[in-house]
């Protein structure tokens, strides 16, 4: 699309708690025509954050998180689904933003094929595993460069601004640093995965 602008590297080269709320309303896009508007995110901050995969340092699993900002970190969770994250900060920091939920906006037929058991559109990509499945993201995309459209995936801006009053609250599915208010969502959006736990305005 002529009106889509790929987010530059410098966008990601900041603390994930700065990047995360600004990712709201951006589009995650695949070359096969699938696209979804990001409506829920969580920040994770390396050795500052006991809940981060990267808290104890680099491993084979987390290597991408310690690389260049603007790449996609993909991990397998609970032995059942993939999580998708935008790497942030500087090389070696292990920072990232988990993409928690999307509103599908293009390529709906392909998205529905990827999620054949789903009957409600609001459930197609509401949650990290659902999002990854809907957008065809798996381990093969770990390390893909979102800035260069590497492996057919990128994050773009179509002119829609982040919400002026996102909801903020604790992250989901963690047992440490549960008091960090590092989860943001678009207020009252039907495609957010866990609306009830969001706490307040930013």
């Amino acid at each position: 699309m002529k009106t889509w602008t790929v987010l530059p590297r410098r966008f990601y080269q900041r603390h994930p708690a700065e990047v995360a709320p600004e990712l709201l309303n951006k589009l995650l896009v695949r070359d096969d025509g699938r696209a979804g508007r990001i409506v829920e995110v969580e920040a994770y901050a390396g050795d500052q954050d006991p809940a981060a995969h990267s808290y104890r340092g680099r491993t084979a699993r987390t290597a991408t998180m310690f690389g260049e900002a603007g790449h996609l970190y993909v991990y397998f969770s609970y032995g059942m689904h993939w999580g998708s994250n935008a790497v942030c900060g500087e090389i070696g920091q292990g920072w990232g933003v988990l993409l928690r939920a999307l509103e599908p906006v293009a390529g709906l037929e392909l998205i529905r094929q990827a999620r054949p058991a789903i009957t409600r559109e609001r459930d197609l990509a509401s949650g990290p595993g659902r999002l990854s499945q809907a957008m065809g993201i798996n381990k093969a995309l770990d390390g893909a460069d979102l800035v260069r459209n590497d492996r057919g995936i990128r994050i773009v801006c179509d002119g829609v601004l982040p919400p002026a009053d996102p909801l903020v609250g604790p992250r989901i599915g963690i047992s440490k640093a549960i008091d960090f208010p590092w989860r943001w969502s678009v207020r009252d959006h039907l495609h957010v995965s866990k609306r009830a736990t969001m706490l307040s305005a930013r």
Side-chain angles (χ1 to χ4, degrees), residues 35-52:
R37 193 169 302 283
I38 299 168
V39 297
E40 183 183 358
V41 291
E42 291 178 345
Y44 289 89
D47 62 6
Q48 302 175 9
D49 181 4

Side-chain angles (χ1 to χ4, degrees), residues 89-111:
E90 300 299 329
I91 291 173
Q93 289 184 306
W95 293 353
V97 174
L98 174 65
L99 307 179
R100 278 203 58 90
L102 296 177
E103 174 193 3
V105 297
L108 289 177
E109 183 176 345
L110 287 175
I111 290 172

Side-chain angles (χ1 to χ4, degrees), residues 3 5 42 49 51 72 82 89 93 99-100 104-106 123-124 132 135 151 171-172 177 182 184 198:
T3 57
T5 303
E42 291 178 345
D49 181 4
L72 187 68
W82 299 101
Q93 289 184 306
L99 307 179
R100 278 203 58 90
V105 297
D123 295 327
L124 286 171
S132 296
M135 298 299 287
R151 286 169 254 179
R171 296 170 295 182
I172 296 171
W182 280 3
W184 292 263
M198 304 306 284

Side-chain angles (χ1 to χ4, degrees), residues 61-125:
R61 181 196 194 199
T62 64
T64 296
M65 282 194 81
F66 288 89
E68 185 180 39
H71 287 250
L72 187 68
Y73 165 53
V74 181
Y75 67 92
F76 202 49
S77 180
Y78 301 111
M80 59 190 298
H81 63 71
W82 299 101
S84 304
N85 306 256
V87 177
C88 300
E90 300 299 329
I91 291 173
Q93 289 184 306
W95 293 353
V97 174
L98 174 65
L99 307 179
R100 278 203 58 90
L102 296 177
E103 174 193 3
V105 297
L108 289 177
E109 183 176 345
L110 287 175
I111 290 172
R112 290 191 183 102
Q113 287 175 10
R115 302 271 295 145
I118 302 305
T119 57
R120 297 192 308 175
E121 187 170 309
R122 64 187 291 179
D123 295 327
L124 286 171

